[in-house]
Amino acid sequence: MIPVPTVQLAFSAAPQYVRTARLVAVAVARRAGVSEELLDEVRLAIGEACGRAVARHRRYDISELVRVQMSDDGPYTVQVFDSCGAEVTAGDGTGAPAGDEEDADRMQEALLAAVARDLEILRHDAGTEVRMVWPVRRRLSGTGRVTRG
Amino acid sequence: MELRLATRDIAGYTVVEVRGEVDVYTASVLRAKLVEVIDRGAGNVVADLQRVDFLDSTGLGVLVGALKRLRMRGGDMSLVCDNEKLLKIFRITALDRVFALHGSVQAATATPPAPPAG
């Protein structure tokens, strides 16, 4: 089931906004009740997923915004959307990564797979979605206080 | 926190001290500095990451790129890192088997560097 987002973020494909996305995602994760020891994983995973989207937009010269949706209704779920659908990426290979980018791409995949909980990379017609889910402690409704569940 | 870089020479090594966050935004600054010191003739580089708060795959790509550049010229690069959060990243990406990792600059520069190959 796709959760209803409680926080949405959209930013142009510029590297400096990845840091903003990381800060927001970690703040929402903390508020959602993700345990402190998982926040470094959240920070790294969101950064990698957003960095991936930014790199893809820049590689294929896409002017659309990168979109991030966070939901704390249940487990903490983050979805990062790029707008690089099959039509865009099925080119002549000129957008393919090279050099440092190629190395970074390989490590990005390894890091995402290792630190993101319940990672899914879904390919839609309009682009790809990186979906990550982290467990949360049970929140006491209405009080803003959390307790271990 | 922005990225801050400083270089110093110790016992035949060029030590590049890195402070702050190395991410998709700042990695290009680190790349430029490493390319600069390598092109200036540094053969044995130590990247001191002890004051790095955050490192992502872009930063790792820069470090690997610098290592490749150095090795093509008969040089080498090692890393100084005592932060478990970062060491975990090196283990996940198997880069702990690619780079020599040291706990201090003193340990990284204790042995005189090997002369350039060839």
Side-chain angles (χ1 to χ4, degrees):
Chain A
M1 192 182 80
I2 300 173
V4 177
T6 46
V7 177
Q8 294 190 60
L9 193 64
F11 58 90
S12 59
Q16 60 265 37
Y17 299 124
V18 172
R19 185 172 295 180
T20 307
R22 278 202 315 262
L23 290 171
V24 172
V26 169
V28 178
R30 188 173 273 125
R31 173 70 187 85
V34 175
S35 66
E36 287 292 324
E37 57 265 31
L38 292 181
L39 292 181
D40 281 335
E41 287 184 12
V42 172
R43 181 177 293 113
L44 186 57
I46 305 306
E48 293 298 336
C50 291
R52 174 184 180 276
V54 166
R56 285 168 64 82
H57 276 220
R58 291 166 77 89
R59 199 172 289 160
Y60 296 106
D61 201 20
I62 303 291
S63 59
E64 304 289 322
L65 301 179
V66 171
R67 290 184 302 119
V68 184
Q69 294 184 348
M70 294 154 245
S71 171
D72 61 0
D73 183 17
Y76 181 52
T77 305
V78 180
Q79 296 158 277
V80 179
F81 299 90
D82 68 50
S83 300
C84 302
E87 206 172 285
V88 173
T89 56
D92 57 4
T94 51
D100 285 5
E101 269 190 5
E102 199 175 0
D103 290 327
D105 273 12
R106 275 199 299 273
M107 285 174 280
Q108 190 173 61
E109 286 171 21
L111 280 179
L112 258 180
V115 300
R117 303 292 172 100
D118 293 335
L119 172 72
E120 285 183 279
I121 299 180
L122 307 166
R123 298 184 199 290
H124 306 298
D125 288 344
T128 62
E129 170 192 350
V130 176
R131 190 184 302 174
M132 299 160 282
V133 182
W134 283 271
V136 295
R137 291 169 291 174
R138 203 168 49 240
R139 185 165 35 204
L140 298 176
S141 103
T143 66
R145 292 169 55 203
V146 293
T147 184
R148 298 223 175 248
Chain B
M1 181 192 254
E2 292 301 318
L3 186 69
R4 290 166 64 193
L5 303 169
T7 59
R8 57 195 162 126
D9 293 324
I10 302 177
Y13 292 88
T14 301
V15 179
V16 179
E17 186 184 286
V18 189
R19 291 184 187 206
E21 298 189 345
V22 187
D23 64 4
V24 67
Y25 181 41
T26 59
S28 59
V29 179
L30 177 60
R31 180 189 294 113
K33 172 58 77 178
L34 290 170
V35 167
E36 178 198 315
V37 299
I38 294 166
D39 286 352
R40 222 174 43 209
N44 292 279
V45 176
V46 175
D48 178 3
L49 308 178
Q50 291 179 98
R51 296 187 181 185
V52 170
D53 308 309
F54 182 84
L55 178 69
D56 73 3
S57 58
T58 328
L60 294 174
V62 168
L63 294 173
V64 171
L67 179 67
K68 285 180 177 174
R69 199 177 185 92
L70 274 162
R71 287 195 175 158
M72 278 193 304
R73 299 168 184 216
D76 207 354
M77 181 162 84
S78 64
L79 308 177
V80 176
C81 180
D82 57 356
N83 178 338
E84 182 50 36
K85 199 168 70 181
L86 263 59
L87 289 170
K88 184 180 171 188
I89 291 171
F90 285 108
R91 284 196 295 271
I92 289 169
T93 52
L95 289 179
D96 59 334
R97 286 178 264 159
V98 174
F99 287 101
L101 287 158
H102 303 279
S104 67
V105 172
Q106 193 180 14
T109 57
T111 310

